[in-house]
């Protein structure tokens, strides 16, 4: 991940509803969630939810996929891992350490 991508991702997450939304999708894992479920869980209006999902999608943090009549949103775990790796790449004064390699989600 390069600096402009990191800034875009952090900018997308720097809003309370989008942060909650992203974390909700992370918890959902590979199964993802429908917009209706997310709106109900977070108690966000569907139009506001759509706006926030668009911002997260443009930042590369979520993706959507049509499954029958439903659209399923999922967190982009590779992007999340890359963001965490970028943020921790220079820890420990540039020396390799366990914190410099964030755990990857083996469930997703």
């Amino acid at each position: 991940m390069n600096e402009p991508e990191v800034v875009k991702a952090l900018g997308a997450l720097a809003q309370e509803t989008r942060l909650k939304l992203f974390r909700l999708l992370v918890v959902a894992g590979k199964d993802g969630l429908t917009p209706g479920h997310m709106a109900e869980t977070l108690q966000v209006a569907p139009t506001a939810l759509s706006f926030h999902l668009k911002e997260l999608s443009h930042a590369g943090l979520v993706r959507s996929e049509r499954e029958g009549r439903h659209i399923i949103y999922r967190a982009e775990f590779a992007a999340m891992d890359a963001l965490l790796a970028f943020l921790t790449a220079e820890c420990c004064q540039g020396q390799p350490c366990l914190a410099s390699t964030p755990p990857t989600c083996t469930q997703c």
Side-chain angles (χ1 to χ4, degrees):
M1 201 171 235
N2 59 42
E3 284 185 8
E5 292 170 328
V6 169
V7 169
K8 196 174 203 178
L10 290 174
L13 294 171
Q15 197 280 339
E16 187 176 352
T17 301
R18 285 194 292 271
L19 182 59
K20 288 178 181 179
L21 183 55
F22 182 71
R23 292 186 71 202
L24 183 65
L25 288 170
V26 167
V27 171
K30 65 182 176 182
D31 293 335
L33 297 170
T34 63
H37 181 84
M38 290 182 281
E40 183 178 319
T41 300
L42 297 177
Q43 299 199 355
V44 175
T47 54
L49 181 76
S50 178
F51 170 78
H52 293 305
L53 285 168
K54 181 184 75 157
E55 291 296 310
L56 290 169
S57 180
H58 285 300
L61 295 170
V62 301
R63 64 181 160 81
S64 63
E65 184 178 338
R66 181 167 289 281
E67 290 186 6
R69 295 180 12 189
H70 301 283
I71 297 176
I72 305 296
Y73 284 85
R74 294 178 177 88
E76 283 286 3
F77 290 98
M80 180 185 73
D81 288 342
L83 177 60
L84 292 172
F86 182 91
L87 293 172
T88 59
E90 305 284 330
C91 73
C92 301
Q93 299 175 348
Q95 301 300 312
C97 67
L98 294 177
S100 68
T101 50
T104 57
C105 181
T106 58
Q107 303 295 318
C108 309

